[in-house]
Amino acid sequence: MRAAVRIGAIAGIVTIFLAAVGLIGNFTELNLIGTQVTFAGVMIVTPPLLAGYVAITPRIEAGRLIELGRGQALAAGATAGVLAGAVFGAFVIFVDTFGVERIREVFINISPVLMDYLTQGHPAIVAAAILVAVSVVAGTAGAGYRTLPDPVRRPLGTAVWVTLLFGFLQRIVPIALDQLEVERDWMYSKVTGGLTWVGATVIAAVAAAASVLKARKGDAIRGAIRGQRDRRADGARLTPLTFALMLVGLAVVLIAPHVLGSVISEVLGTVMVFALLGLGLNIVVGYAGLLDLGYVFFFTLGAYSLALLTGATLNTFVGSTEPAIAFNLNFYVAIPIVVLIAAGAGVLIGAPVLRLRGDYLALVTLGLGEMIVVLVTSPWLEPLVGGPQGMRDITNAAVGNFGFRDPKHFYYLAFAFVVLALFVSWRLANSRVGRAWTALREDEQVADAMGVSTTAYKLLAFAMGGAIGSVGGALFAVKIGSLTPASFTVLVSIQVLGIVILGGIGSLPGVIVGSLVLVGLPGLLREFEEYRLLAYGAALVAVMLLRPAGLIPNVRRSRELKDEDREQDKWASDVAADEHVATPITPLGEGAG
């Protein structure tokens, strides 16, 4: 119960934080299902729900594994809900007592709209009691959900989060259905904007059925996939099933822009640009273990190099002028030159920091990344890159009369370069160079003693990572058509590093998934744009706590973490044995009384 009280209080503070930053008051009219389930309501219910779920987590105390019985679990969840609701209810009473306008002088998002939503026309004391009751129900539900058997809990959880996800995507899925000329009024309401209850029921049923099918047939499907992979590794020809799946995947990729429309194609184009940046940084951080916080350098270098090589002009107050040095090369001739320039710059950046590691390397690369932003805005380089006004009239990478400035067309150009970067990264990871990078990442001193040229391979990592990142900058220039220094800030480096960490350090599929989560979702959910950094922080904290290896971890990295966990568990059991501490594993409820 002590844990339930502590977790419940934390959940109440989290709810207050959500209200203070505007995630409740600013979204009271964002309906997810009908008019009953709103985003603001979900934000109020989620903290006590999670508190109830976490409060009954089995834990070891005094050498005993404590597991609560069902009745005790529900009581603990209700207790967590009471504390969460009481803390948040006290906040409502406090704001009502001191006045919204006085509080709003400090916390601007605590508005009359928020208070009207929380009180629903009742006095503050009554509204607080209602919030406590709602939190108790939510906390009890969270605890009850955790006590359910796996065959019930997993389909139920999947149905809930998939349904809410479709509610969030109310500005995306209807567009895709309209593009396919599919009737969608039964799924999404034109009045409320969110899912209809019929649509929510159908989505929940399909999601639950898919979860049940995965639980029953998942091992067989994974075994078949491993068999296909083993056959390819042995040199066997592609089976008809593998070939058919490849064709289906290729067809989905090719028709996606025409099905999803220009808005979603625009977002996917941005996702692919950041995927290229992530793949480049993954070589430096994931393969070689060199923490680089100045990766925006290569992004900027690639964009401005392509602009100069393809005949872009400078922005001025009176029109456009030619830069001091300019070429008029074709995009496909300029791209290899951009890559070579970035690779050379990677070597120049890597040379001064060869003897640095860890935090020191991160700080130095952060400074180098900031230097290029200062340079492109300086009067010294203004005749070359336009200074604060930037450049415009950048090539659209046209092939004949087919240009790639249109979002649907740019999708194909970016996809081709992402596939190429994935292939190069995969070949590097499985080559002698990749094994040398792995040795360098694991223990530089041991790698050096074993004959690995740490200097050469560090420089190669910076060169290859910079080369791939510069392609992302070049495609960004093509996509936008103009450049200003405002697009090249240190936040880009942080964002790309977040993509690599979230997806899984050293994992190629992880970079793609990380890009979709950290770039794609905020791009699709434009109403949450101002909370992008908050989402980054929350996502990274959640991943570090729940999946330390990332969403799709690198196989080797995942095994290392599991081996560390086994060693720690063995050490803990040895210590307990040495101290002669009994470790019975029995539910707390058994034998009580």
Side-chain angles (χ1 to χ4, degrees), residues 231-473:
R231 291 189 61 182
R232 292 198 299 271
D234 295 336
R237 297 175 61 186
L238 289 177
T239 63
L241 175 61
T242 303
F243 185 71
L245 291 175
M246 292 175 63
L247 286 180
V248 170
L250 181 61
V252 170
V253 169
L254 292 178
I255 67 174
H258 302 287
V259 173
L260 301 176
S262 298
V263 175
I264 303 178
S265 297
E266 172 81 18
V267 174
L268 290 177
T270 305
V271 167
M272 291 183 192
V273 169
F274 276 89
L276 281 169
L277 297 175
L279 290 170
L281 186 61
N282 190 54
I283 291 177
V284 181
V285 176
Y287 291 173
L290 304 171
L291 184 55
D292 186 352
L293 292 182
Y295 200 67
V296 68
F297 178 92
F298 300 105
F299 183 51
T300 309
L301 185 64
Y304 277 97
S305 296
L306 181 84
L308 291 172
L309 290 171
T310 55
T313 58
L314 305 181
N315 274 325
T316 66
F317 293 109
V318 294
S320 61
T321 60
E322 292 291 328
I325 300 175
F327 302 89
N328 287 287
L329 301 178
N330 182 273
F331 171 81
Y332 302 97
V333 176
I335 275 289
I337 301 175
V338 170
V339 169
L340 291 175
I341 292 173
V347 173
L348 293 176
I349 285 181
V353 300
L354 286 175
R355 300 181 63 183
L356 300 177
R357 303 177 190 172
D359 301 337
Y360 302 99
L361 176 62
L363 288 174
V364 172
T365 53
L366 177 62
L368 292 172
E370 284 295 286
M371 285 173 59
I372 194 168
V373 179
V374 174
L375 287 174
V376 296
T377 56
S378 66
W380 181 50
L381 289 182
E382 187 169 350
L384 187 65
V385 296
Q389 284 74 38
M391 307 183 73
R392 66 181 183 182
D393 300 327
I394 298 173
T395 179
N396 63 356
V399 177
N401 294 324
F402 188 85
F404 291 96
R405 188 63 46 73
D406 183 273
K408 293 182 180 180
H409 298 169
F410 179 80
Y411 169 92
Y412 294 109
L413 179 69
F415 178 76
F417 278 101
V418 168
V419 171
L420 179 61
L422 283 170
F423 176 76
V424 171
S425 298
W426 174 70
R427 293 292 294 172
L428 285 171
N430 294 281
S431 67
R432 181 178 179 181
V433 174
R435 291 191 291 273
W437 282 337
T438 300
L440 180 67
R441 183 192 69 212
E442 297 301 323
D443 195 315
E444 184 178 337
Q445 291 180 337
V446 173
D448 190 34
M450 295 300 294
V452 176
S453 177
T454 56
T455 298
Y457 283 108
K458 279 185 178 181
L459 293 177
L460 182 60
F462 278 112
M464 292 301 301
I468 295 177
S470 68
V471 176

Side-chain angles (χ1 to χ4, degrees), residues 31-52:
N31 299 311
L32 301 181
I33 304 175
T35 58
Q36 293 77 22
V37 181
T38 63
F39 181 82
V42 171
M43 289 294 98
I44 293 174
V45 170
T46 298
L49 182 73
L50 293 178

Side-chain angles (χ1 to χ4, degrees), residues 14 39 47 71 78 97 106 125 165 184 193 208 247 259 297 344 357 394 433 472 487 495 514 526 564:
V14 169
F39 181 82
T97 302
V106 180
I125 187 68
L165 178 63
R184 49 96 165 183
L247 286 180
V259 173
F297 178 92
R357 303 177 190 172
I394 298 173
V433 174
S487 300
Q495 188 172 2
R526 296 295 177 88
E564 291 176 2

Side-chain angles (χ1 to χ4, degrees), residues 169-185:
L169 300 179
Q170 59 188 259
R171 298 185 181 180
I172 300 163
V173 177
I175 295 175
L177 295 177
D178 290 340
Q179 293 283 339
L180 294 171
E181 298 182 354
V182 175
E183 175 61 37
R184 49 96 165 183
D185 289 346

